[in-house]
Every structure is written in C-alpha cells, then in structure tokens.
Coordinates of all heavy atoms in Angstrom, one line a residue:
M10 N -100.5 -3.6 -83.4 CA -100.4 -4.0 -82.0 C -99.2 -3.3 -81.4 O -98.2 -3.1 -82.1 CB -100.2 -5.6 -81.9 CG -100.3 -6.0 -80.5 SD -100.1 -7.8 -80.0 CE -100.6 -8.6 -81.4
R11 N -99.3 -3.0 -80.1 CA -98.2 -2.4 -79.4 C -97.0 -3.3 -79.3 O -97.1 -4.5 -79.2 CB -98.7 -1.9 -78.1 CG -99.7 -0.8 -78.2 CD -100.4 -0.5 -76.9 NE -99.4 -0.3 -75.8 CZ -99.6 -0.1 -74.5 NH1 -100.8 -0.3 -74.2 NH2 -98.7 0.0 -73.7
D12 N -95.9 -2.7 -79.2 CA -94.6 -3.6 -79.0 C -94.5 -4.1 -77.7 O -94.5 -3.2 -76.7 CB -93.5 -2.7 -79.3 CG -93.4 -2.4 -80.8 OD1 -93.8 -3.1 -81.7 OD2 -92.7 -1.2 -81.2
V13 N -94.6 -5.3 -77.4 CA -94.5 -5.9 -76.1 C -93.1 -6.5 -76.0 O -92.7 -7.4 -76.9 CB -95.5 -6.9 -75.9 CG1 -95.4 -7.6 -74.5 CG2 -97.0 -6.3 -76.0
P14 N -92.3 -6.1 -75.0 CA -90.9 -6.6 -74.8 C -91.0 -8.2 -74.6 O -92.0 -8.7 -74.1 CB -90.4 -6.0 -73.6 CG -91.6 -5.5 -72.8 CD -92.7 -5.2 -73.9
A15 N -90.0 -9.0 -75.0 CA -90.0 -10.4 -74.8 C -89.9 -10.8 -73.4 O -88.9 -10.1 -72.6 CB -88.8 -10.9 -75.5
L16 N -90.7 -11.4 -72.7 CA -90.7 -11.7 -71.3 C -90.1 -13.2 -71.3 O -90.6 -14.2 -71.7 CB -92.1 -11.6 -70.8 CG -92.9 -10.4 -71.0 CD1 -94.4 -10.4 -70.4 CD2 -92.1 -9.2 -70.3
D17 N -88.9 -13.2 -70.7 CA -88.1 -14.3 -70.7 C -88.1 -15.0 -69.3 O -87.5 -16.2 -69.1 CB -86.6 -14.1 -71.0 CG -86.0 -12.9 -70.2 OD1 -86.8 -12.3 -69.4 OD2 -84.8 -12.9 -70.3
K18 N -88.8 -14.5 -68.3 CA -89.0 -15.1 -66.9 C -90.4 -15.4 -66.7 O -91.3 -14.8 -67.3 CB -88.4 -14.2 -66.0 CG -87.0 -13.8 -66.0 CD -86.3 -12.9 -65.1 CE -87.3 -12.1 -64.2 NZ -86.6 -11.3 -63.2
P19 N -90.6 -16.4 -65.8 CA -92.1 -16.7 -65.5 C -92.6 -15.7 -64.5 O -93.8 -15.5 -64.5 CB -91.9 -18.2 -64.8 CG -90.5 -18.3 -64.4 CD -89.6 -17.5 -65.3
L20 N -91.8 -15.2 -63.6 CA -92.3 -14.2 -62.5 C -91.3 -13.0 -62.5 O -90.2 -13.0 -62.7 CB -92.3 -14.9 -61.2 CG -93.2 -16.0 -60.9 CD1 -92.9 -16.7 -59.6 CD2 -94.6 -15.7 -61.1
Y21 N -92.1 -11.9 -62.2 CA -91.4 -10.5 -62.2 C -91.8 -9.8 -60.9 O -92.8 -9.8 -60.4 CB -91.9 -9.6 -63.4 CG -91.4 -10.1 -64.7 CD1 -92.1 -11.1 -65.3 CD2 -90.1 -9.7 -65.2 CE1 -91.6 -11.6 -66.6 CE2 -89.6 -10.3 -66.4 CZ -90.4 -11.2 -67.1 OH -89.9 -11.6 -68.3
T22 N -90.8 -9.1 -60.4 CA -90.9 -8.4 -59.1 C -91.7 -7.1 -59.6 O -91.7 -6.7 -60.7 CB -89.7 -8.0 -58.4 OG1 -89.0 -7.2 -59.1 CG2 -88.9 -9.3 -58.1
L23 N -92.3 -6.5 -58.5 CA -93.0 -5.2 -58.8 C -92.1 -4.1 -59.3 O -92.5 -3.3 -60.2 CB -93.7 -4.7 -57.6 CG -94.8 -5.7 -57.1 CD1 -95.6 -5.1 -55.9 CD2 -95.8 -6.2 -58.0
A24 N -90.9 -4.2 -58.9 CA -89.8 -3.2 -59.3 C -89.6 -3.5 -60.8 O -89.4 -2.5 -61.6 CB -88.6 -3.2 -58.5
E25 N -89.5 -4.7 -61.2 CA -89.2 -5.1 -62.6 C -90.4 -4.7 -63.4 O -90.2 -4.2 -64.6 CB -88.9 -6.5 -62.8 CG -87.6 -7.0 -62.2 CD -87.5 -8.5 -62.2 OE1 -88.4 -9.2 -61.9 OE2 -86.3 -8.9 -62.3
V26 N -91.6 -4.8 -63.0 CA -92.8 -4.5 -63.6 C -92.9 -2.9 -63.9 O -93.2 -2.5 -65.0 CB -94.1 -5.0 -63.0 CG1 -95.4 -4.4 -63.7 CG2 -94.1 -6.5 -62.9
A27 N -92.5 -2.2 -63.0 CA -92.4 -0.7 -62.9 C -91.4 -0.3 -64.2 O -91.7 0.5 -64.9 CB -92.0 -0.1 -61.7
V28 N -90.3 -1.0 -64.1 CA -89.4 -0.7 -65.3 C -89.9 -1.0 -66.6 O -89.8 -0.3 -67.6 CB -87.9 -1.4 -65.0 CG1 -87.0 -1.2 -66.1 CG2 -87.4 -0.8 -63.8
I29 N -90.4 -2.2 -66.7 CA -91.0 -2.7 -68.0 C -92.1 -1.8 -68.5 O -92.2 -1.5 -69.7 CB -91.4 -4.1 -67.9 CG1 -90.1 -5.1 -67.6 CG2 -92.2 -4.6 -69.2 CD1 -90.4 -6.5 -67.4
T30 N -93.0 -1.4 -67.6 CA -94.2 -0.7 -68.0 C -93.9 0.8 -68.1 O -94.8 1.6 -68.4 CB -95.4 -0.9 -67.1 OG1 -95.0 -0.6 -65.7 CG2 -95.7 -2.4 -67.1
R31 N -92.7 1.3 -67.5 CA -92.3 2.7 -67.5 C -93.4 3.5 -66.6 O -93.9 4.5 -66.9 CB -92.3 3.3 -68.8 CG -91.2 2.7 -69.8 CD -91.1 3.5 -71.1 NE -90.2 2.8 -71.9 CZ -90.5 2.3 -73.1 NH1 -91.7 2.5 -73.6 NH2 -89.6 1.7 -73.8
R32 N -93.7 2.8 -65.5 CA -94.5 3.5 -64.5 C -93.8 3.4 -63.3 O -92.9 2.8 -62.9 CB -95.9 2.7 -64.4 CG -96.8 2.6 -65.6 CD -97.2 4.1 -65.9 NE -98.1 4.0 -67.1 CZ -97.9 4.5 -68.3 NH1 -96.8 5.0 -68.5 NH2 -98.8 4.5 -69.3
S33 N -94.4 4.2 -62.2 CA -93.7 4.3 -61.0 C -94.0 2.9 -60.1 O -95.0 2.4 -60.3 CB -94.3 5.5 -60.1 OG -95.6 5.3 -59.7
P34 N -93.2 2.6 -59.2 CA -93.5 1.4 -58.4 C -94.7 1.6 -57.5 O -95.4 0.7 -57.4 CB -92.2 1.3 -57.4 CG -91.1 2.0 -58.2 CD -91.8 3.1 -59.0
G35 N -95.1 2.8 -57.1 CA -96.2 3.1 -56.3 C -97.5 2.8 -57.2 O -98.5 2.2 -56.7
L36 N -97.5 3.1 -58.5 CA -98.5 2.9 -59.4 C -98.7 1.3 -59.6 O -99.9 0.8 -59.5 CB -98.4 3.6 -60.7 CG -99.6 3.3 -61.7 CD1 -100.9 3.7 -61.2 CD2 -99.2 3.9 -63.1
V37 N -97.6 0.6 -59.7 CA -97.7 -0.8 -59.8 C -98.3 -1.5 -58.6 O -99.2 -2.4 -58.6 CB -96.4 -1.5 -60.2 CG1 -96.4 -2.9 -60.2 CG2 -95.8 -0.9 -61.5
R38 N -97.8 -1.0 -57.4 CA -98.5 -1.5 -56.3 C -100.1 -1.2 -56.1 O -100.8 -2.0 -55.7 CB -97.9 -0.9 -54.9 CG -96.4 -1.4 -54.7 CD -95.9 -1.0 -53.4 NE -95.7 0.4 -53.3 CZ -94.5 1.0 -53.6 NH1 -93.5 0.3 -54.2 NH2 -94.5 2.4 -53.4
R39 N -100.4 0.0 -56.6 CA -101.8 0.4 -56.7 C -102.6 -0.6 -57.6 O -103.8 -1.0 -57.3 CB -101.9 1.7 -57.2 CG -103.1 2.5 -56.7 CD -103.1 4.0 -57.0 NE -101.8 4.6 -56.7 CZ -101.2 5.6 -57.5 NH1 -101.9 6.0 -58.5 NH2 -100.1 6.1 -57.1
W40 N -101.9 -1.0 -58.6 CA -102.6 -1.9 -59.6 C -102.9 -3.3 -58.9 O -104.0 -3.8 -59.0 CB -101.8 -2.2 -60.8 CG -101.7 -1.1 -62.0 CD1 -102.5 0.0 -61.9 CD2 -100.6 -1.0 -62.9 NE1 -102.1 0.8 -63.0 CE2 -100.9 0.3 -63.6 CE3 -99.6 -1.7 -63.2 CZ2 -100.2 0.6 -64.7 CZ3 -98.9 -1.2 -64.3 CH2 -99.1 -0.1 -65.0
V41 N -101.9 -3.7 -58.2 CA -102.2 -4.9 -57.3 C -103.2 -4.8 -56.3 O -104.0 -5.7 -56.2 CB -100.7 -5.3 -56.8 CG1 -100.9 -6.5 -55.7 CG2 -99.7 -5.6 -57.8
H42 N -103.2 -3.7 -55.6 CA -104.2 -3.4 -54.5 C -105.6 -3.4 -55.2 O -106.6 -3.9 -54.5 CB -103.9 -2.1 -53.8 CG -104.8 -1.8 -52.8 ND1 -104.9 -2.5 -51.5 CD2 -105.7 -0.9 -52.8 CE1 -105.9 -2.0 -50.8 NE2 -106.4 -1.0 -51.5
R43 N -105.7 -2.8 -56.2 CA -107.0 -2.6 -56.9 C -107.4 -3.9 -57.8 O -108.4 -3.9 -58.4 CB -107.0 -1.5 -57.9 CG -106.9 -0.1 -57.3 CD -106.8 1.0 -58.2 NE -106.7 2.3 -57.6 CZ -106.5 3.4 -58.3 NH1 -106.3 3.4 -59.5 NH2 -106.4 4.5 -57.6
R44 N -106.5 -4.8 -57.7 CA -106.6 -6.2 -58.5 C -106.7 -6.0 -59.9 O -107.5 -6.6 -60.7 CB -108.0 -6.9 -57.9 CG -107.8 -7.3 -56.3 CD -108.9 -8.1 -56.0 NE -108.7 -8.2 -54.5 CZ -109.3 -9.3 -53.9 NH1 -110.1 -10.0 -54.5 NH2 -109.1 -9.4 -52.6
Q45 N -106.0 -5.0 -60.5 CA -105.9 -4.8 -61.8 C -104.7 -5.4 -62.5 O -104.5 -5.4 -63.5 CB -105.7 -3.2 -62.1 CG -107.0 -2.5 -61.7 CD -106.8 -0.9 -61.7 OE1 -105.7 -0.6 -61.8 NE2 -107.8 -0.2 -62.0
L46 N -103.9 -6.1 -61.5 CA -102.6 -6.8 -62.0 C -102.6 -8.0 -61.0 O -102.6 -7.8 -59.8 CB -101.5 -5.9 -61.8 CG -100.1 -6.7 -62.3 CD1 -100.1 -6.9 -63.8 CD2 -98.9 -5.7 -62.0
A47 N -102.6 -9.2 -61.6 CA -102.6 -10.4 -60.9 C -101.2 -10.6 -60.3 O -100.2 -10.3 -60.9 CB -103.0 -11.6 -61.7
V48 N -101.1 -11.1 -59.1 CA -99.8 -11.4 -58.4 C -99.9 -12.7 -57.8 O -101.0 -13.3 -57.4 CB -99.4 -10.4 -57.4 CG1 -99.1 -9.1 -58.0 CG2 -100.3 -10.3 -56.2
I49 N -98.7 -13.3 -57.6 CA -98.5 -14.7 -56.8 C -97.6 -14.2 -55.7 O -96.6 -13.6 -55.7 CB -97.8 -15.6 -57.7 CG1 -98.7 -16.0 -58.8 CG2 -97.5 -16.8 -56.8 CD1 -98.1 -17.1 -59.8
W50 N -98.2 -14.5 -54.4 CA -97.4 -14.3 -53.1 C -96.6 -15.3 -52.8 O -96.9 -16.4 -52.6 CB -98.4 -14.0 -52.0 CG -99.1 -12.6 -52.3 CD1 -100.3 -12.7 -52.8 CD2 -98.8 -11.4 -52.0 NE1 -100.8 -11.3 -53.0 CE2 -99.9 -10.4 -52.4 CE3 -97.7 -10.7 -51.3 CZ2 -99.8 -9.1 -52.3 CZ3 -97.7 -9.4 -51.1 CH2 -98.8 -8.6 -51.6
L51 N -95.2 -15.0 -52.8 CA -94.3 -16.2 -52.4 C -94.3 -16.3 -50.9 O -94.9 -15.6 -50.1 CB -92.9 -15.7 -52.7 CG -92.7 -15.4 -54.2 CD1 -91.2 -15.0 -54.6 CD2 -93.1 -16.7 -55.1
E52 N -93.7 -17.4 -50.4 CA -93.7 -17.8 -49.0 C -93.3 -16.6 -48.2 O -93.6 -16.6 -47.0 CB -93.0 -19.0 -48.9 CG -93.7 -20.3 -49.4 CD -92.8 -21.6 -49.0 OE1 -91.9 -21.6 -48.4 OE2 -93.3 -22.6 -49.7
D53 N -92.3 -15.9 -48.6 CA -91.7 -14.9 -47.7 C -92.5 -13.5 -47.8 O -92.1 -12.6 -47.3 CB -90.2 -14.5 -48.2 CG -90.0 -14.1 -49.6 OD1 -91.1 -14.0 -50.4 OD2 -88.9 -13.7 -50.1
G54 N -93.6 -13.6 -48.5 CA -94.5 -12.4 -48.5 C -94.2 -11.6 -49.7 O -94.8 -10.4 -49.9
T55 N -93.3 -11.9 -50.5 CA -93.0 -11.0 -51.8 C -94.0 -11.2 -52.9 O -94.3 -12.4 -53.3 CB -91.6 -11.4 -52.3 OG1 -90.7 -11.3 -51.3 CG2 -91.2 -10.6 -53.5
P56 N -94.6 -10.2 -53.4 CA -95.5 -10.3 -54.4 C -94.8 -10.4 -55.9 O -93.9 -9.6 -56.1 CB -96.3 -9.1 -54.4 CG -95.5 -8.0 -53.9 CD -94.6 -8.8 -52.9
C57 N -95.1 -11.3 -56.7 CA -94.6 -11.5 -58.0 C -95.6 -11.5 -59.0 O -96.6 -12.2 -58.9 CB -93.6 -12.7 -58.0 SG -92.1 -12.5 -57.1
V58 N -95.4 -10.9 -60.2 CA -96.4 -10.9 -61.3 C -96.0 -11.9 -62.3 O -94.9 -12.1 -62.8 CB -96.4 -9.5 -61.9 CG1 -97.3 -9.5 -63.1 CG2 -96.6 -8.4 -61.0
P59 N -96.9 -12.8 -62.5 CA -96.7 -13.9 -63.5 C -96.5 -13.2 -65.1 O -97.1 -12.1 -65.3 CB -97.9 -14.7 -63.6 CG -98.7 -14.4 -62.4 CD -98.3 -13.1 -62.0
A60 N -95.7 -13.7 -65.9 CA -95.5 -13.2 -67.1 C -96.8 -13.1 -67.9 O -97.0 -12.0 -68.7 CB -94.6 -14.1 -68.0
A61 N -97.7 -14.0 -67.9 CA -99.0 -13.8 -68.7 C -99.9 -12.5 -68.1 O -100.4 -11.9 -68.9 CB -99.9 -15.1 -68.3
A62 N -99.8 -12.4 -66.8 CA -100.4 -11.1 -66.4 C -99.8 -9.8 -66.8 O -100.5 -9.0 -67.0 CB -100.5 -11.2 -64.8
L63 N -98.5 -9.9 -66.9 CA -97.8 -8.7 -67.3 C -98.0 -8.5 -68.8 O -98.2 -7.3 -69.2 CB -96.2 -8.8 -67.0 CG -95.4 -7.8 -67.4 CD1 -95.8 -6.3 -67.0 CD2 -93.9 -8.0 -67.1
R64 N -98.0 -9.4 -69.5 CA -98.3 -9.4 -70.9 C -99.6 -8.8 -71.2 O -99.8 -7.9 -72.1 CB -98.1 -10.8 -71.6 CG -98.2 -10.7 -73.2 CD -97.8 -12.0 -73.8 NE -96.5 -12.4 -73.6 CZ -96.2 -13.4 -72.7 NH1 -97.0 -14.1 -72.2 NH2 -94.8 -13.6 -72.5
A65 N -100.6 -9.3 -70.5 CA -102.0 -8.8 -70.7 C -102.1 -7.3 -70.3 O -102.8 -6.6 -71.0 CB -102.9 -9.6 -69.6
R66 N -101.3 -7.0 -69.2 CA -101.4 -5.5 -68.8 C -100.7 -4.7 -69.9 O -101.2 -3.5 -70.3 CB -100.6 -5.3 -67.4 CG -100.5 -4.0 -67.0 CD -102.0 -3.6 -66.4 NE -102.1 -2.1 -66.3 CZ -103.1 -1.6 -65.7 NH1 -104.1 -2.3 -65.1 NH2 -103.1 -0.2 -65.7
L67 N -99.7 -5.2 -70.5 CA -99.0 -4.4 -71.5 C -99.8 -4.3 -72.8 O -99.7 -3.3 -73.6 CB -97.6 -5.1 -71.9 CG -96.6 -4.9 -70.8 CD1 -95.4 -5.9 -71.2 CD2 -96.1 -3.5 -70.7
L68 N -100.6 -5.3 -73.0 CA -101.5 -5.2 -74.3 C -102.8 -4.3 -74.1 O -103.5 -4.1 -75.0 CB -101.9 -6.6 -74.7 CG -100.8 -7.4 -75.2 CD1 -101.2 -8.9 -75.5 CD2 -100.2 -6.9 -76.4
R69 N -103.1 -4.0 -72.9 CA -104.3 -3.1 -72.7 C -104.0 -1.7 -73.3 O -102.8 -1.3 -73.4 CB -104.6 -2.9 -71.1 CG -105.1 -4.0 -70.4 CD -105.3 -3.8 -69.0 NE -106.2 -2.7 -68.7 CZ -106.7 -2.2 -67.6 NH1 -106.1 -2.9 -66.5 NH2 -107.4 -1.3 -67.5
P70 N -105.1 -1.2 -73.9 CA -105.0 0.2 -74.4 C -104.7 1.2 -73.4 O -105.2 1.1 -72.3 CB -106.3 0.4 -75.1 CG -107.2 -0.6 -74.5 CD -106.5 -1.7 -74.0
P71 N -103.9 2.2 -73.8 CA -103.6 3.2 -72.7 C -104.8 4.0 -72.4 O -105.7 4.2 -73.2 CB -102.6 4.1 -73.4 CG -102.7 3.9 -74.9 CD -103.3 2.6 -75.0
R72 N -104.8 4.5 -71.0 CA -105.9 5.1 -70.4 C -106.0 6.5 -71.1 O -104.9 7.1 -71.2 CB -105.8 5.2 -69.0 CG -106.9 5.9 -68.3 CD -106.6 5.8 -66.8 NE -107.5 6.8 -66.2 CZ -107.3 7.3 -65.0 NH1 -106.3 6.9 -64.3 NH2 -108.1 8.3 -64.6
I73 N -107.1 7.1 -71.4 CA -107.3 8.5 -71.9 C -107.0 9.4 -70.8 O -107.6 9.2 -69.7 CB -108.6 8.7 -72.6 CG1 -108.9 7.7 -73.8 CG2 -108.9 10.1 -73.0 CD1 -110.2 7.7 -74.3
E74 N -106.2 10.4 -71.0 CA -105.9 11.4 -70.0 C -107.1 12.3 -69.8 O -107.8 12.7 -70.6 CB -104.8 12.2 -70.4 CG -103.4 11.4 -70.4 CD -103.0 10.8 -69.1 OE1 -103.2 11.6 -68.0 OE2 -102.5 9.8 -69.0
R75 N -107.4 12.5 -68.5 CA -108.5 13.4 -68.1 C -108.1 14.9 -68.3 O -106.9 15.1 -68.0 CB -109.0 13.2 -66.7 CG -109.6 12.0 -66.5 CD -110.2 11.8 -65.1 NE -110.7 10.5 -64.9 CZ -111.1 10.0 -63.7 NH1 -110.9 10.8 -62.6 NH2 -111.5 8.9 -63.5
V76 N -109.0 15.7 -68.8 CA -108.7 17.1 -68.9 C -109.1 17.8 -67.6 O -110.2 17.5 -67.1 CB -109.5 17.8 -70.0 CG1 -109.2 19.2 -70.1 CG2 -109.1 17.1 -71.4
R77 N -108.2 18.6 -67.1 CA -108.6 19.3 -65.8 C -109.7 20.1 -65.9 O -109.9 20.8 -67.0 CB -107.3 20.2 -65.3 CG -106.3 19.3 -64.8 CD -105.2 20.2 -64.2 NE -105.7 21.3 -63.5 CZ -105.2 22.5 -63.7 NH1 -104.2 22.8 -64.5 NH2 -105.6 23.7 -62.9
R78 N -110.7 20.1 -65.1 CA -112.0 20.9 -65.2 C -111.7 22.3 -65.4 O -112.4 23.0 -66.1 CB -112.9 20.7 -63.9 CG -113.5 19.3 -63.8 CD -114.3 19.1 -62.7 NE -114.8 17.8 -62.6 CZ -115.6 17.4 -61.6 NH1 -116.0 18.3 -60.6 NH2 -116.0 16.2 -61.5
D79 N -110.7 22.9 -64.6 CA -110.4 24.4 -64.8 C -110.0 24.6 -66.1 O -110.3 25.7 -66.8 CB -109.4 24.7 -63.8 CG -109.8 24.6 -62.3 OD1 -111.1 24.5 -62.1 OD2 -108.9 24.5 -61.4
A80 N -109.1 23.8 -66.7 CA -108.6 24.1 -68.1 C -109.8 23.9 -69.1 O -109.8 24.8 -70.0 CB -107.5 23.1 -68.4
A81 N -110.6 22.9 -68.9 CA -111.8 22.7 -69.9 C -112.7 24.1 -69.7 O -113.1 24.5 -70.8 CB -112.4 21.6 -69.6
R82 N -113.0 24.4 -68.6 CA -113.9 25.6 -68.3 C -113.3 26.9 -68.9 O -113.9 27.6 -69.5 CB -114.0 25.8 -66.8 CG -115.1 26.8 -66.5 CD -115.4 26.9 -64.9 NE -115.7 25.7 -64.4 CZ -115.2 25.1 -63.3 NH1 -114.2 25.7 -62.8 NH2 -115.7 24.0 -63.0
E83 N -111.9 27.1 -68.8 CA -111.3 28.2 -69.3 C -111.4 28.2 -70.9 O -111.6 29.2 -71.6 CB -109.8 28.3 -68.9 CG -109.6 28.7 -67.5 CD -108.3 28.7 -67.0 OE1 -107.3 28.6 -68.0 OE2 -108.0 28.6 -65.8
A84 N -111.2 27.0 -71.5 CA -111.3 26.9 -72.8 C -112.7 27.2 -73.5 O -112.8 27.9 -74.4 CB -110.8 25.5 -73.3
R85 N -113.7 26.7 -72.7 CA -115.1 27.1 -73.1 C -115.4 28.6 -73.0 O -115.9 29.2 -73.8 CB -116.1 26.4 -72.2 CG -116.3 24.9 -72.5 CD -117.5 24.3 -71.9 NE -117.6 24.5 -70.5 CZ -117.0 23.6 -69.6 NH1 -116.4 22.5 -70.1 NH2 -117.1 23.8 -68.2
H86 N -114.9 29.2 -71.9 CA -115.2 30.7 -71.8 C -114.4 31.4 -72.9 O -115.0 32.4 -73.4 CB -114.8 31.1 -70.4 CG -115.7 30.7 -69.3 ND1 -117.0 31.0 -69.3 CD2 -115.4 29.9 -68.2 CE1 -117.5 30.5 -68.2 NE2 -116.8 29.8 -67.5
R87 N -113.2 31.0 -73.1 CA -112.4 31.8 -74.2 C -113.2 31.7 -75.5 O -113.3 32.5 -76.2 CB -111.1 31.1 -74.4 CG -110.0 31.9 -73.7 CD -108.6 31.4 -74.0 NE -108.3 30.5 -72.9 CZ -107.9 29.2 -73.1 NH1 -107.8 28.8 -74.4 NH2 -107.7 28.4 -72.1
T88 N -113.7 30.5 -75.9 CA -114.4 30.3 -77.3 C -115.7 31.1 -77.2 O -116.1 31.7 -78.2 CB -114.6 28.9 -77.6 OG1 -115.4 28.2 -76.5 CG2 -113.2 28.1 -77.8
R89 N -116.4 31.1 -76.0 CA -117.6 31.8 -75.8 C -117.4 33.4 -76.1 O -118.1 34.0 -76.7 CB -118.2 31.5 -74.5 CG -119.6 32.0 -74.5 CD -120.4 31.6 -73.1 NE -120.3 30.1 -73.0 CZ -120.2 29.7 -71.7 NH1 -120.3 30.5 -70.6 NH2 -120.2 28.4 -71.5
D90 N -116.4 33.8 -75.3 CA -115.9 35.4 -75.4 C -115.6 35.7 -76.7 O -115.8 36.7 -77.2 CB -115.0 35.6 -74.4 CG -115.3 35.4 -73.0 OD1 -116.6 35.4 -72.8 OD2 -114.6 35.4 -72.1
D91 N -114.9 34.8 -77.4 CA -114.3 35.2 -78.8 C -115.5 35.2 -79.8 O -115.5 35.9 -80.8 CB -113.2 34.2 -79.2 CG -111.9 34.3 -78.4 OD1 -111.9 35.4 -77.7 OD2 -111.1 33.5 -78.4
G92 N -116.4 34.2 -79.7 CA -117.4 34.0 -80.7 C -118.7 34.9 -80.5 O -119.5 35.0 -81.4
S93 N -118.9 35.5 -79.4 CA -120.0 36.2 -79.2 C -119.7 37.9 -79.2 O -119.6 38.4 -78.1 CB -120.7 35.9 -77.9 OG -119.9 36.0 -76.8
A94 N -119.6 38.4 -80.3 CA -119.3 39.9 -80.3 C -120.6 40.7 -80.4 O -121.4 40.7 -81.3 CB -118.5 40.2 -81.6
G95 N -120.8 41.4 -79.1 CA -122.0 42.3 -79.1 C -123.2 41.4 -78.7 O -124.3 41.6 -79.3
G96 N -123.1 40.6 -77.8 CA -124.3 39.7 -77.4 C -125.3 40.3 -76.5 O -126.4 40.6 -76.5

C-alpha cells in the first residue's frame, strides 16, 4: 500500500491538499469541479476537503501517463524502417 501521511485535522484547505498530494492548486480545484474530490463549503464560501475524502484520493492508484501521439507514431516508424530492409 502507498504511504499515506497521517491526517491530523478533520478538514483541509485546497492549498493544503495541493501540498500533501504534491499537485498544483489548479489541479486540486479541477478535481473539485469535476467532483473527483469531495468538499464541504464553509459559510464564508471556502471549500474544505474532509480528511476521509483526502485519504481516499491518496489511496487511488496513480493515473497512467498518456504517450503523445507524435512520439508513438515516430517510434512505430522507426521500428518499421529498421526492421524492413529491402521491402
């Protein structure tokens, strides 16, 4: 299991979540907007993330990075050119 830091507070600001997850604050806001991270809105309009929601996000498996299409296409052409001598 991945190492999850000890969460000692019941609620975390989006800036704290960004530091804990090592992601940009903009990405954390995107998670909230996409409803990928649960938040509680305080009376003053501040979004706060419950510790349980943050823990669940930390336990999710990391996303597989996409390979750029151009890079994948170049790799296919390189292997095709190298493997077909006199085609």
Side-chain angles (χ1 to χ4, degrees):
M10 185 180 337
R11 295 171 48 193
D12 294 331
V13 177
L16 303 176
D17 54 349
K18 299 183 340 181
L20 296 173
Y21 292 86
T22 65
L23 298 186
E25 291 171 326
V26 172
V28 170
I29 292 169
T30 60
R31 296 186 187 118
R32 299 289 187 252
S33 71
L36 179 61
V37 174
R38 285 191 300 273
R39 209 172 312 140
W40 288 343
V41 172
H42 179 73
R43 293 177 180 169
R44 298 182 183 201
Q45 295 173 338
L46 182 64
V48 295
I49 295 174
W50 294 89
L51 302 181
E52 289 180 9
D53 63 356
T55 305
C57 289
V58 179
L63 178 55
R64 186 174 296 108
R66 184 72 197 191
L67 291 170
L68 291 175
R69 286 180 62 179
R72 182 175 160 200
I73 298 172
E74 293 295 323
R75 292 183 182 172
V76 176
R77 287 186 36 227
R78 288 184 185 177
D79 296 338
R82 188 177 301 128
E83 288 174 17
R85 280 195 306 269
H86 287 300
R87 257 186 271 127
T88 55
R89 192 178 306 150
D90 293 343
D91 292 343
S93 60

